[in-house]
Amino acid sequence: MNILELNAVESGYHKRLNVLKAVSLKVEQGQCVAILGSNGAGKSTLLKTIMGLIDDEPRKGEIIAFGKAIQNKSTEEIARSGIAYVVEGRGMFPELTVFESLQLGAFHRKDKAGIKNDLDKIYEVFPRLAERPKQLCGTMSGGEQQMLAIARAMMSAPKLMMLDEPSLGLAPLLVQDIFQTIKSINSSGTGVLLVEQNATQALKIADYGYVLESGRIVLEGTAQELRENENVRELYLGVSEAKTDKRIFVKRQRRWN
Amino acid sequence: MSQLIQVIASGLAIGSIYALIALGIVLLYRTTSILNFAHGEFGLFGTFMAFTFFNSLKLPYPLSFLLSLLAAALLGGIISILLVKPARASFNIGLAILLAALAYGLGVNLIISAAIGIAIAVVSYIFLEQPNRNPSELGLLILTLGVNLFLQGFYSLSFGSDNKILPSIVSNTSIKFAGASVSLGSIFTSLMGLVIMLLLWLLLNHSKIGLAMRALAQREDVAKAMGIPVRLVSFATWATSAALAGAAALLLAPSTLLSPSLLLDPVSKGFVAAVIGGMNSLPGAIVGGYILGLLELFVGVYISNELKASLAFIIVILVLILKPHGLLGKPEIKRV
């Protein structure tokens, strides 16, 4: 069963700028899907469009989450339906404490016992957060903030978690930690839609992947297929077979099909 | 010595009124980034309702006090529905009211003017929707100015512009303290000010809606993505802000006369207090209010009464030169 499905979605800004061009993708139950793409490919726009954060978008196409069309719903309804969104740059509330941020994550939940239970579980996963529930979020380090951003999203008990560049600005070891956490969230049954420039890490934990370029899906396949694809290797994984060949002076044309 | 105590007591009383007004302005500015020029009019609504409840309906004083606070809060909330983004309706309603008022001014029958207004609202809603979908912050500021003018006209029309007397909740006596006579009214005002600040602190720090208000003030987009009901929170913020204005007006009204221009001076002082404290800091608003109230009294009594009027603006200039973000404010960093 698909928990998220996009059919030929077109989106952009101010009714003029067209960023996404007929994007179709799907996330199956319990799947971890990665979207790769360089800067300006439209990755963040894609997540914002799904979340309903851009007014009057998507202009075309349909977005189906958990069997219901959500393209015309408000952000609040979409969040309540079970989609959590970890924004790019962590989106901290600098003047709220760690505990308050986590409470805010569970804002629309009513089951007090469930919230308490989840909070304990999260403190177990992130002992750093358990140590300092009273610390202001703005004073934490980048890695701690990213952990809090993920923990906050977990507090809403989502069925699908969307993450925008969780590795942004983190040291390589921390990046591995974060991706391990995402993997474990995924294996507990939550679907994950991961937008990432760090293709190496993303393809390690993902089941399926899409390559987004200039607003179009140019390639899709299982993580294994993508890892072996020549173009992906060269452009996103930084492994170049052509480098040793001195006779090629012209930059090799990218051809996806 | 006795004079000093009297000055401090009166300074604290007037300071707490300034602080309450400044708190309302800052609370709204932090959460919705709207500078509300209709703030005083919300407060006035409270006093006029209290006057009506007390004089015409003969309700007991504390009850009319509470009911009028509620009325002010409700008015603030309703205005928020018109102004919250996307403020599609507000522009059209504003235009309609303007044209209806124009027609009325030209001598057209009241009912026909109202009909013209409604027709204009409907027509403009259909045809003028696009350009004002997302009004800028400046646009919203101008809209609050429009609300201000509208409400002032409304009060003059329905309550009259003559002076009325709102009795004090405490008896008009003074108590002797260390040789000084301090009026019971100013002690009551100071105490009520403290109580209301405490209530606001409890609301913001120990309630779910308060948490949402603070979150919305810091990162609106993230708060939205977390499923926080932005419209509801904004309604609550406007209502709280208006209730603060109402409380300030109700505390002020007994010591002076009730008229549509009652809050003209205190609200401008409230803005000054908010700027002194830093526009985005709630403790700053309190500090600013008390500083302004006390200094005004000190300067008025010990230096010169003429200087009192311009003192507020001298303080603002000094604070802005020395600390451009106010005493407790933080520089605002915006990603563009």
Side-chain angles (χ1 to χ4, degrees), chain B:
Chain B
M1 183 61 197
S2 63
Q3 197 185 22
L4 184 68
I5 291 172
Q6 264 163 318
V7 166
I8 289 176
S10 317
L12 284 178
I14 192 76
S16 52
I17 285 171
Y18 293 162
L20 288 181
I21 294 173
L23 274 176
I25 292 168
V26 170
L27 181 72
L28 196 63
Y29 181 71
R30 265 167 57 98
T31 312
T32 61
S33 63
I34 296 173
L35 205 53
N36 181 17
F37 279 114
H39 194 65
E41 271 54 44
F42 292 161
L44 269 182
F45 188 68
T47 48
F48 279 120
M49 289 317 279
F51 184 77
T52 314
F53 288 137
F54 186 66
N55 270 22
S56 312
L57 302 176
K58 306 281 178 222
L59 293 176
Y61 201 93
L63 184 65
S64 28
F65 196 98
L66 280 179
L67 279 178
S68 54
L69 280 188
L70 214 62
L74 205 62
L75 177 72
I78 289 168
I79 297 292
S80 86
I81 297 174
L82 297 182
L83 294 185
V84 170
K85 297 179 218 177
R88 289 177 214 192
S90 58
F91 173 78
N92 306 295
I93 292 171
L95 194 68
I97 289 171
L98 191 72
L99 285 166
L102 189 69
Y104 190 63
L106 289 172
V108 183
N109 181 302
L110 183 61
I111 296 166
I112 298 175
S113 324
I116 293 174
I118 292 167
I120 294 291
V122 171
V123 170
S124 63
Y125 188 80
I126 296 166
F127 289 104
L128 289 174
E129 198 181 299
Q130 279 313 323
N132 62 95
R133 261 248 158 105
N134 286 315
S136 60
E137 279 162 26
L138 188 65
L140 287 169
L141 188 135
I142 300 296
L143 279 174
T144 66
L145 208 58
V147 171
N148 174 357
L149 291 174
F150 169 71
L151 286 176
Q152 278 222 332
F154 172 72
Y155 297 146
S156 301
L157 209 66
S158 52
F159 297 103
S161 52
D162 53 327
N163 292 331
K164 295 173 190 60
I165 294 167
L166 194 69
S168 176
I169 197 164
V170 289
S171 60
N172 200 6
T173 52
S174 305
I175 52 166
K176 291 264 184 258
F177 176 74
S181 69
V182 177
S183 86
L184 215 55
S186 58
I187 293 175
F188 175 73
T189 304
S190 307
L191 284 180
M192 277 305 283
L194 285 180
V195 168
I196 291 165
M197 284 170 206
L198 189 71
L199 286 177
L200 180 68
W201 182 81
L202 283 176
L203 172 77
L204 285 178
N205 287 297
H206 292 276
S207 78
K208 220 174 159 182
I209 194 93
L211 182 60
M213 279 183 201
R214 284 188 294 146
L216 205 62
Q218 291 167 44
R219 280 294 296 268
E220 188 185 337
D221 54 336
V222 181
K224 223 170 162 183
M226 289 170 73
I228 287 164
V230 175
R231 272 163 195 280
L232 180 73
V233 174
S234 142
F235 185 96
T237 312
W238 277 81
T240 313
S241 167
L244 285 168
L250 281 171
L251 289 173
L252 183 72
S255 64
T256 166
L257 293 165
L258 178 53
S259 76
S261 58
L262 166 77
L263 283 176
L264 223 51
D265 183 59
V267 164
S268 59
K269 297 287 170 55
F271 269 104
V272 167
V275 173
I276 291 174
M279 273 311 288
N280 46 22
S281 161
L282 290 170
I286 298 174
V287 170
Y290 281 123
I291 287 180
L292 190 62
L294 284 171
L295 276 182
E296 242 185 31
L297 260 281
F298 271 106
V299 168
V301 170
Y302 291 106
I303 299 175
S304 123
N305 213 14
E306 277 88 51
L307 194 62
K308 203 176 143 183
S310 48
L311 175 77
F313 303 100
I314 297 173
I315 299 177
V316 164
I317 292 169
L318 281 180
V319 166
L320 289 184
I321 290 171
L322 298 174
K323 292 206 77 178
H325 304 292
L327 292 178
L328 299 180
K330 291 196 197 80
E332 203 170 315
I333 301 161
K334 220 171 221 181
R335 249 173 51 162
V336 183

Side-chain angles (χ1 to χ4, degrees), chain A residues 6-96:
Chain A
L6 271 67
N7 290 330
V9 167
E10 305 221 341
S11 174
Y13 299 95
H14 309 300
K15 296 224 159 172
R16 289 195 172 61
L17 193 62
N18 205 355
V19 179
L20 298 181
K21 293 143 196 155
V23 171
S24 299
L25 58 85
K26 57 185 197 289
V27 181
E28 284 167 27
Q29 178 99 50
Q31 207 180 23
C32 177
V33 173
I35 296 174
L36 311 177
S38 55
N39 294 70
K43 305 185 302 288
S44 299
T45 306
L46 178 66
L47 293 194
K48 282 184 195 157
T49 303
I50 296 172
M51 215 54 214
L53 281 168
I54 311 173
D55 290 337
D56 305 320
E57 301 287 352
R59 61 195 73 173
K60 274 184 198 155
E62 56 176 1
I63 304 172
I64 299 164
F66 318 112
K68 282 192 193 106
I70 57 162
Q71 68 266 31
N72 295 322
K73 294 257 176 74
S74 73
T75 305
E76 190 196 330
E77 285 173 283
I78 295 169
R80 274 165 196 265
S81 76
I83 301 180
Y85 173 40
V86 180
V87 301
E88 188 176 2
R90 308 186 262 277
M92 287 290 108
F93 301 108
E95 289 166 34
L96 296 192

